[in-house]
Amino acid sequence: MNWRRSPTHPIMPEPAQSSSTSRRLMTSPGLSKKYSSCSTIFLDDSTVSLPNLKSTVKCVTLAIYYHIKNRDSNRSLDIFDEKIHPLTREKVPEDYYSVDPEHKLIYRFVRTLFSSAQLTAECAIVTLVYLERLLTYAEMDICPCNWKRIVLGAILLASKVWDDQAVWNVDYCQILKDITVEDMNEMERHFLELLQFNINVPASVYAKYYFDLRSLADDNNLNFPLEPLDNQRATKLEAISRLCEDRYKDLGKVTIRRSLSADNLVGVRTTHAVLS
């Protein structure tokens, strides 16, 4: 599939002329793709209602990588700038703010947060939704100097909206040792304001992001783990599909819970989502 750069499109890989590079990004030498036959059906366990965590995080970070790589400019805001609000006390390389991060660096950063905070694959998809809304609503770019704080803010908000057992801001300070609770609170407050308090994620938007991420995975040879379909797995997938409608029908009605910086916010407003 050929992707075009659009403020309303969830995932934006490289232009067509460099598609060979993007396709090589996630290629594993010697790994052949499995195909179904009349006697054997190969199927992965990732579904729209229960995505595979590792594969989903890889796809989301790949989408972020392309956002950075395909940006038109370096529009940013001070609240997300690591020059002003560093996440670590360690000295960063001099060219840190001018060199685009590799996909593996973005993946390690996100994977660490998701593993330490025990976040779900669904939270990763919602993270991408919020990140792209921020770029659209605030008319800014994600670039080397701000990508970590933007991603952190999106994960922080998504974990509070999605997970019943949300992680508190102070918990993220235990993961990122050098960031303060006051900084986290301020960043979360700005993130919400820039989103115009639109944290609504309709089921249709979530599903579109899920399937577009799968398409991106196929375009970059990032295959979800395939296993032969047997009776036990077929029964499991059928049960998951029955829960899908109940799981997502009220997704658009959720609001922020246990948000330290948002406790005093009233009159939460919703506007049209970036995708419809």
Side-chain angles (χ1 to χ4, degrees):
M1 179 182 296
N2 292 325
W3 300 91
R4 61 184 177 86
R5 188 173 179 106
S6 166
T8 60
H9 202 288
I11 306 168
M12 297 180 286
E14 293 174 286
Q17 61 267 26
S18 58
S19 60
S20 60
T21 302
S22 66
R23 287 181 180 276
R24 290 196 301 269
L25 180 64
M26 299 302 299
T27 302
S28 298
L31 180 62
S32 58
K33 187 175 182 179
K34 298 178 181 179
Y35 293 92
S36 300
S37 65
C38 296
S39 60
T40 305
I41 298 177
F42 288 100
L43 194 66
D44 63 73
D45 285 330
S46 182
T47 64
V48 68
S49 59
L50 191 62
N52 179 276
L53 176 59
K54 182 177 180 179
S55 298
T56 301
V57 170
K58 280 188 176 181
C59 291
V60 168
T61 54
L62 185 59
I64 296 171
Y65 165 82
Y66 282 125
H67 269 295
I68 299 172
K69 193 172 184 65
N70 295 334
R71 70 189 186 279
D72 293 326
S73 59
N74 292 300
R75 298 170 299 176
S76 186
L77 296 173
D78 289 349
I79 189 61
F80 300 114
D81 195 333
E82 280 195 68
K83 296 178 183 178
I84 303 173
H85 302 281
L87 293 178
T88 176
R89 296 177 183 175
E90 297 179 3
K91 185 178 181 180
V92 297
E94 294 182 359
D95 60 352
Y96 175 81
Y97 302 107
S98 59
V99 177
D100 293 346
E102 294 294 332
H103 172 246
K104 61 182 179 181
L105 177 63
I106 303 172
Y107 173 69
R108 284 199 299 265
F109 179 75
V110 175
R111 181 190 62 186
T112 298
L113 292 175
F114 269 71
S115 176
S116 300
Q118 298 183 344
L119 303 178
T120 63
E122 299 96 325
C123 183
I125 296 176
V126 177
T127 293
L128 184 59
V129 175
Y130 289 157
L131 183 148
E132 294 192 342
R133 273 188 199 166
L134 176 74
L135 301 183
T136 301
Y137 287 13
E139 298 182 348
M140 60 183 295
D141 301 284
I142 183 169
C143 50
C145 72
N146 65 17
W147 72 268
K148 282 187 178 180
R149 289 181 64 85
I150 289 178
V151 170
L152 176 60
I155 291 175
L156 173 65
L157 189 58
S159 66
K160 292 184 177 182
V161 171
W162 178 263
D163 289 340
D164 290 334
Q165 300 295 327
V167 182
W168 293 73
N169 290 7
V170 67
D171 295 322
Y172 285 98
C173 296
Q174 299 298 320
I175 302 172
L176 302 171
K177 302 294 185 179
D178 296 327
I179 193 171
T180 65
V181 176
E182 292 75 18
D183 186 15
M184 292 284 290
N185 292 345
E186 183 182 5
M187 182 173 62
E188 181 188 12
R189 182 170 60 253
H190 277 80
F191 207 111
L192 277 168
E193 292 174 350
L194 292 168
L195 286 185
Q196 301 173 29
F197 300 95
N198 180 14
I199 58 171
N200 176 46
V201 181
S204 59
V205 173
Y206 175 91
K208 179 170 177 56
Y209 270 73
Y210 170 81
F211 288 111
D212 281 342
L213 284 168
R214 291 201 62 126
S215 295
L216 180 61
D218 290 339
D219 289 344
N220 288 273
N221 294 322
L222 175 60
N223 298 320
F224 283 61
L226 298 175
E227 297 293 340
L229 180 65
D230 53 25
N231 290 336
Q232 182 178 359
R233 295 183 68 234
T235 302
K236 177 182 176 182
L237 289 174
E238 182 180 4
I240 292 174
S241 66
R242 289 175 179 174
L243 293 174
C244 182
E245 182 176 357
D246 292 338
R247 181 82 178 269
Y248 295 103
K249 66 181 180 180
D250 295 326
L251 180 59
K253 299 179 181 179
V254 295
T255 56
I256 293 180
R257 297 181 293 272
R258 296 175 299 279
S259 173
L260 294 182
S261 64
D263 285 341
N264 296 323
L265 294 176
V266 295
V268 174
R269 297 170 290 137
T270 59
T271 58
H272 293 294
V274 175
L275 296 178
S276 59

